Amino acid sequence: METKTKIALVTGGSRGLGRDMVLNLAKNGNNIIFTYHTNAIEADKVVAEVLALGQKAIAYPLDTSKVDTFDTFVGKVSQHLREHEGSPNFDFLINNAGTGVYGSVTDTTEEAFDNMMNIHFKGVYFLTQKLLPTLNDGGRIINISSGLTRVSFPNVSAYASMKGAIETYTKCLAKELGPRKITANCVAPGAIATDFGGGSNKSDEGKRNAIASITALGRVGEPEDIGGVVAFICTPEAGWMNGQRIELSGGMMV
Ligand SMILES: NC(=O)c1ccc[n+]([C@@H]2O[C@H](COP(=O)([O-])OP(=O)(O)OC[C@H]3O[C@@H](n4cnc5c(N)ncnc54)[C@H](OP(=O)(O)O)[C@@H]3O)[C@@H](O)[C@H]2O)c1
């Protein structure tokens, strides 16, 4: 019996962790829809990489902080799926897109706080809500959190608080969506060498050494440490994992 190819929707799939998630999901035989914010050139490269792996891919621009644009986005995705897959439905939602802001409790502005809230919490909440009608029963939701919900460092309060909210939201999703056999889990990466937060996890040797020194496996994480686990959560073998926070930090401050 032929099994239907599953479809994953990844936000922020053009670079960093999201790109690695997209490629690993494609390697596992899934077709891909992903979003980018402004970097269409990088998004096009990722589409080409997925096509080379033999899976379908399309990229859409989306600012996940702008809830008022979500209906239009969801409409476009549904139309694409109807035309190319025969139904508006998809299987896996990975809420990954995001940026970092560093600032002390004293210095964080209301604008910076609102930006973190809109991207990392409100955007994830309402994008998920608007996609739920077309997420297949038996599907998966994976929300990307952070190691910073378990351990604390100075200057991350707004960002880390939003990630904490996402972990609570994920447990609520798991509970409410159980009747539809949809699981919801968080993946919480430690410090990973991407462009995130100005790219200091890639370029700041002092910071990299400090991270390595508090990490059991003795190095900074790479995007390739994350995407394969996200793809695994979308396999049938991971179907009993639900409402969990899976930290991928190489053993940071264990
Ligand atoms: N790197 C780390 O150390 C680390 C650790 C823990 C958690 N995380 C989380 O992992 C996720 C991905 O981070 P990353 O390290 O891969 O970052 P990244 O390399 O900077 O990539 C960010 C991705 O998100 C997109 N994006 C940025 N702002 C957006 C917005 N307002 N609306 C929609 N999309 C937006 C970017 O699109 P463009 O390419 O178009 O700009 C890009 O695809 C984030 O949720 C982050 O909080 C990262």
Side-chain angles (χ1 to χ4, degrees):
M1 197 180 74
E2 203 180 315
T3 50
K4 192 173 178 324
T5 301
K6 306 272 190 193
I7 300 153
L9 194 164
V10 181
T11 64
S14 47
R15 289 184 290 124
L17 308 187
R19 172 180 172 274
D20 194 61
M21 293 170 200
V22 163
L23 296 181
N24 277 283
L25 284 157
K27 280 179 198 158
N28 278 7
N30 300 296
N31 289 339
I32 307 290
I33 297 167
F34 74 88
T35 73
Y36 61 97
H37 184 207
T38 54
N39 201 333
I41 292 173
E42 290 305 309
D44 286 346
K45 285 188 203 162
V46 177
V47 168
E49 286 180 274
V50 174
L51 297 179
L53 288 166
Q55 298 303 136
K56 296 183 201 168
I58 187 164
Y60 292 100
L62 180 72
D63 184 339
T64 55
S65 71
K66 299 221 159 42
V67 173
D68 61 351
T69 66
F70 289 179
D71 284 333
T72 305
F73 168 71
V74 171
K76 280 188 206 162
V77 168
S78 296
Q79 189 184 343
H80 165 82
L81 287 172
R82 245 182 245 110
E83 284 170 11
H84 295 271
E85 306 279 357
S87 133
N89 291 4
F90 69 104
D91 300 285
F92 312 128
L93 171 61
I94 295 103
N95 287 304
N96 161 75
T99 51
V101 70
Y102 298 113
S104 68
V105 170
T106 321
D107 295 339
T108 296
T109 62
E110 186 177 354
E111 188 188 6
F113 180 97
D114 285 347
N115 193 33
M116 284 296 96
M117 184 177 70
N118 289 335
I119 294 175
H120 287 286
F121 183 32
K122 188 176 174 187
V124 172
Y125 190 106
F126 286 102
L127 187 61
T128 303
Q129 182 192 74
K130 287 175 187 293
L131 285 167
L132 272 178
T134 49
L135 183 63
N136 275 323
D137 288 1
R140 306 276 154 87
I141 297 171
I142 303 169
N143 294 325
I144 304 307
S145 180
S146 167
L148 294 170
T149 60
R150 180 178 61 82
V151 296
S152 186
F153 293 96
N155 300 324
V156 297
S157 58
Y159 169 78
S161 298
M162 302 314 158
K163 292 298 197 186
I166 276 309
E167 292 188 4
T168 301
Y169 177 51
T170 303
K171 284 189 276 188
C172 296
L173 284 172
K175 192 76 167 176
E176 289 196 23
L177 299 177
R180 290 182 55 190
K181 309 298 176 216
I182 293 170
T183 68
N185 293 285
C186 279
V187 164
I192 314 291
T194 67
D195 299 331
F196 181 81
S200 56
N201 292 344
K202 279 205 286 201
S203 58
D204 180 339
E205 272 312 308
K207 186 178 181 193
R208 286 175 61 82
N209 288 336
I211 293 165
S213 73
I214 56 167
T215 301
L217 293 179
R219 64 169 174 82
V220 176
E222 296 293 332
E224 295 73 28
D225 294 317
I226 309 299
V229 178
V230 169
F232 167 70
I233 297 172
C234 297
T235 63
E237 288 76 8
W240 199 237
M241 182 193 295
N242 196 15
Q244 301 303 303
R245 173 188 187 273
I246 300 103
E247 184 168 314
L248 305 176
S249 68
M252 182 179 64
M253 293 173 82
V254 282

